[in-house]
Amino acid sequence: MHSPAHRSYKHLQLLLFAFGIVVIATTAAESSSRPSIRAQFTAAEMFSIPIGEARRAGIAPRRLSGITVPHHLLAAGLIAQAFQAVESGRIKKVIVLFPDHFKRSSLPFATTDRPFDTVFGRVESSLPDVRTLLGARRLVGRSDLFERDHGIGAIVPFIRHYLPDARIIPIAVALRSQQADWDQLVAVLHSIVTEETLVVQSTDFSHYLPLEQATQRDQEVLNILASGDIASVARLRQPQHMDSRGSQYLQMRIQRDFFRSRPLAVYNSDSHAYADGRDGLTTTYIVQLYETDPPAQIGQDLPGSKVYCFAGDTLFGRGLLRILSTRDEQERFFRDARRVLNGCRLIVNLTGVVVPELPLKLEPMMLAMPSILTLEALKAINVVGVSLANNHTMDLGPASFDLMRRILSDVNIATMTHGEIVDFGGFRLTALTDLDNQSLRTEGVIGPDDIARLAASHAKPPLFAMVNWGTDYVNRPGPRQIELRSELRQSAVSLVIGVHPHSAASALDLLDGGGGISVHSLGNFIFDQTSRVASGSFLEVRVFEHGTYFARLVPHLNFFEAALQQR
């Protein structure tokens, strides 16, 4: 005979078994009772051709938590390249955010539990997560809008191909929805988003504008993305900036709150690039990747864009001479820098005077560097330009300054003096200094005439300014820098790059509501100060053929201190 405890255990097993049968039967019944949404696009080559091209492009998979892609199949290649970058093995479910193009939803958001048919097979919805969404009854409603909206129809074939085992949570975002609605949905998503979730934002950007206006609107969006200023997304205009502010806001909130991830814009193009001619109105595309803990390394050139980098104070004299005294030490030093720079075209603030031979006596605050070592170093790290607009390049007088310019020009390194504008192809760059050691002025060197000359230059946009300003070891702007960057923005400068304070700023600042962007200080690049007082970051600027750019800060180690520790 069995004991009462054993009989209770067997009874529990039978109940669980029966419950399992009920669950399976219920799920099967639900599946059979949910008619699939027919494929909107039935020509397989519309997807297989760009998928094949993306595969052959050799795009390395990354641990992405989100991507932003177009839904115009004119740009199907951009969609495929973004999905190709996803490390797909860990993704179990996909949230798809897209605009309710035809205004079918009566609530701020709509969803469906129906599966989607595609040319590659069926994509199932994540039923428990859809139920969770529908539980927010005044926020999310069930709708059949998914049958015809290309915002989802153009994306599900790519999901089926790249993530065949994933289930989706489709969310249509009403065009009239507001920030309060978006914030409420983020709260609901707390019980849905996991580490195995990919958020796909299906969004096209500026709509039906002449190319020049479209480029301006895209740059405003790119600046907001670069700054991470999520609240500014709500102030953008539909469809002049994008077709779904809500989708962009939700993507950035989800990525920040759940994955601590920031947007990285890797492609910016327009419909003219896929059709003959450049006349008429255009629609634009911005592809974004979201990666948790991305490597501290500069990105590489991609089709349609080139990468430039800006670095802070750079000196190959004084204390650097001691740690770069042998060829082995030099090679080890520059190998560390090259590993981070990844071959980008580098522009630095050259702090001091390049001379054929160092003077026998130099006062402590007079900076000079030997030309042989300096030129070898600049070549080793792919420096293409230097700013000479700072408070140390005149330390040895005008004659030495002029000689330095000739030395650098002879090896094809562009030099920028105070107020000079140099054309780098994808952008124009001017250099300015607000400090002057000769007159002992710690601010106020940049005057109204300098600003007026910039405004009158009519330099082709985008125009950048590298500005030597600020107080030593203070990495935030003061009243003088805030005033200056505003004046520069009004003079058509869209990117202000600060140098001199030795301590790197931690973030990019939005200017003029998105019309421009600024970093107060890049700190030190190669300079004889340790991390006790100094820090440094590169500013990576991806310049698109579209006429726009995307900037991001990449903190780097203290190369001087690292070399000291290796001795």
Side-chain angles (χ1 to χ4, degrees):
M1 294 181 64
H2 296 296
S3 67
H6 182 77
R7 287 196 299 272
S8 297
Y9 176 71
K10 294 296 291 182
H11 182 63
L12 178 61
Q13 282 185 313
L14 289 171
L15 284 174
L16 290 173
F17 179 71
F19 178 74
I21 292 176
V22 170
V23 169
I24 293 171
T26 301
T27 302
E30 284 183 343
S31 180
S32 62
S33 66
R34 294 180 296 114
S36 63
I37 295 172
R38 290 189 299 176
Q40 291 185 38
F41 304 96
T42 56
E45 62 272 13
M46 296 177 68
F47 306 96
S48 59
I49 291 175
I51 286 170
E53 291 172 346
R55 182 178 62 251
R56 291 188 292 273
I59 299 169
R62 301 158 71 165
R63 192 177 177 84
L64 300 181
S65 52
I67 58 176
T68 299
V69 295
H71 42 246
H72 282 185
L73 288 178
L74 187 67
L78 297 182
I79 306 173
Q81 289 176 61
F83 274 98
Q84 185 73 36
V86 177
E87 188 181 87
S88 59
R90 64 183 185 84
I91 302 300
K92 298 296 187 292
K93 54 186 174 182
V94 180
I95 295 174
V96 184
L97 304 167
F98 69 97
D100 174 13
H101 282 97
F102 306 112
K103 303 179 182 179
R104 297 278 303 280
S105 177
S106 59
L107 293 175
F109 308 99
T111 190
T112 183
D113 58 4
R114 294 168 62 187
F116 291 80
D117 286 335
T118 78
V119 292
F120 300 127
R122 181 165 292 184
V123 178
E124 293 285 349
S125 295
S126 177
L127 298 182
D129 295 318
V130 170
R131 289 195 199 101
T132 298
L133 287 176
L134 292 172
R137 295 185 178 180
R138 296 185 179 181
L139 190 67
V140 185
R142 192 189 303 270
S143 176
D144 291 330
L145 67 85
F146 299 85
E147 294 178 349
R148 295 186 179 181
D149 202 306
H150 59 285
I152 184 80
I155 303 303
V156 284
F158 291 99
I159 294 175
R160 180 64 179 83
H161 173 80
Y162 285 101
L163 305 164
D165 298 324
R167 295 183 174 244
I168 67 170
I169 304 103
I171 302 175
V173 182
L175 300 182
R176 67 180 181 281
S177 62
Q178 299 297 319
Q179 184 174 347
D181 303 316
W182 309 333
D183 288 333
Q184 288 183 59
L185 185 66
V186 171
V188 176
L189 291 172
H190 269 274
S191 60
I192 292 177
V193 177
T194 71
E195 291 184 356
E196 298 172 330
T197 301
L198 177 73
V199 182
V200 176
Q201 175 195 344
S202 168
T203 300
D204 292 329
F205 286 80
S206 60
H207 277 60
Y208 318 127
L209 294 176
L211 185 58
E212 183 177 352
Q213 292 182 31
T215 300
Q216 179 183 347
R217 295 291 175 256
D218 279 5
Q219 190 59 66
E220 291 164 0
V221 171
L222 289 164
N223 288 342
I224 289 172
L225 295 177
S227 71
D229 189 342
I230 301 177
S232 289
V233 174
R235 295 191 286 271
L236 295 174
R237 298 165 63 193
Q238 288 176 168
Q240 291 90 338
H241 286 103
M242 62 182 69
D243 61 13
S244 181
R245 295 175 306 160
S247 296
Q248 182 67 69
Y249 182 96
L250 287 164
Q251 175 75 291
M252 293 176 73
R253 273 290 312 271
I254 294 167
Q255 296 301 328
R256 185 193 69 185
D257 294 0
F258 295 96
F259 301 105
R260 299 187 304 280
S261 181
R262 296 173 61 91
L264 175 67
V266 291
Y267 296 103
N268 180 206
S269 188
D270 62 89
S271 56
H272 284 168
Y274 301 92
D276 294 333
R278 304 288 285 177
D279 298 327
L281 307 182
T282 190
T283 295
T284 62
Y285 318 113
I286 299 175
V287 175
Q288 306 160 38
L289 306 181
Y290 293 81
E291 184 174 13
T292 304
D293 298 323
Q297 187 180 49
I298 302 299
Q300 293 184 311
D301 291 354
L302 293 170
S305 67
K306 293 181 179 180
V307 175
Y308 287 79
C309 296
F310 295 84
D313 288 11
T314 303
L315 170 70
F316 298 101
R318 208 165 59 181
L320 272 299
L321 296 176
R322 179 162 51 94
I323 64 170
L324 298 176
S325 59
T326 70
R327 181 66 64 180
D328 286 345
E329 287 175 324
Q330 293 171 22
E331 179 55 35
R332 183 169 60 245
F333 186 90
F334 297 125
R335 185 171 58 245
D336 290 343
R338 285 195 299 265
R339 187 178 298 115
V340 181
L341 288 165
N342 207 17
C344 77
R345 304 156 187 84
L346 183 60
I347 299 170
V348 304
N349 184 41
L350 196 59
T351 310
V353 188
V354 179
V355 292
E357 293 185 11
L358 289 176
L360 293 177
K361 291 185 178 181
L362 275 176
E363 295 181 14
M365 294 306 295
M366 295 179 68
L367 303 182
M369 57 197 101
S371 59
I372 293 177
L373 172 62
T374 301
L375 295 180
E376 288 182 353
L378 297 178
K379 180 180 179 181
I381 53 180
N382 199 29
V383 170
V384 298
V386 297
S387 170
L388 302 181
N390 60 62
N391 52 307
H392 281 290
T393 51
M394 293 294 290
D395 280 357
L396 301 183
S400 294
F401 178 84
D402 292 340
L403 176 59
M404 171 172 60
R405 290 201 72 182
R406 291 197 298 272
I407 289 171
L408 293 166
S409 297
D410 285 346
V411 293
N412 297 315
I413 294 176
T415 61
M416 287 147 287
T417 60
H418 182 79
E420 187 176 7
I421 299 174
V422 174
D423 192 334
F424 282 90
F427 62 93
R428 271 44 60 196
L429 176 65
T430 188
L432 298 164
T433 181
D434 205 36
L435 315 170
D436 179 29
N437 283 3
Q438 277 61 52
S439 64
L440 302 180
R441 295 171 70 182
T442 57
E443 65 176 39
V445 175
I446 300 173
D449 289 346
D450 297 307
I451 302 297
R453 277 192 295 272
L454 273 181
S457 70
H458 302 296
K460 180 183 176 182
L463 174 62
F464 304 164
M466 199 169 195
V467 187
N468 190 74
W469 62 7
T471 304
D472 284 351
Y473 316 116
V474 177
N475 68 354
R476 297 182 64 83
R480 170 62 178 170
Q481 292 78 52
I482 292 172
E483 175 191 27
L484 265 181
R485 69 188 191 184
S486 176
E487 292 177 353
L488 289 168
R489 174 68 202 116
Q490 293 171 21
S491 300
V493 173
S494 65
L495 174 60
V496 180
I497 306 161
V499 292
H500 169 72
H502 301 300
S503 179
S506 59
L508 298 171
D509 298 323
L510 206 59
L511 304 179
D512 191 24
I517 201 164
S518 172
V519 54
H520 175 64
S521 173
L522 295 181
N524 288 346
F525 173 32
I526 297 173
F527 206 81
D528 55 349
Q529 292 175 332
T530 67
S531 58
R532 185 178 63 84
V533 295
S535 59
S537 287
F538 295 119
L539 181 69
E540 173 190 307
V541 181
R542 182 173 295 279
V543 181
F544 299 103
E545 292 177 0
H546 181 58
T548 53
Y549 64 89
F550 178 77
R552 72 171 183 130
L553 288 172
V554 180
H556 60 71
L557 58 78
N558 187 308
F559 295 107
F560 171 71
E561 186 172 69
L564 284 177
Q565 294 169 352
Q566 291 173 2
R567 297 196 82 197

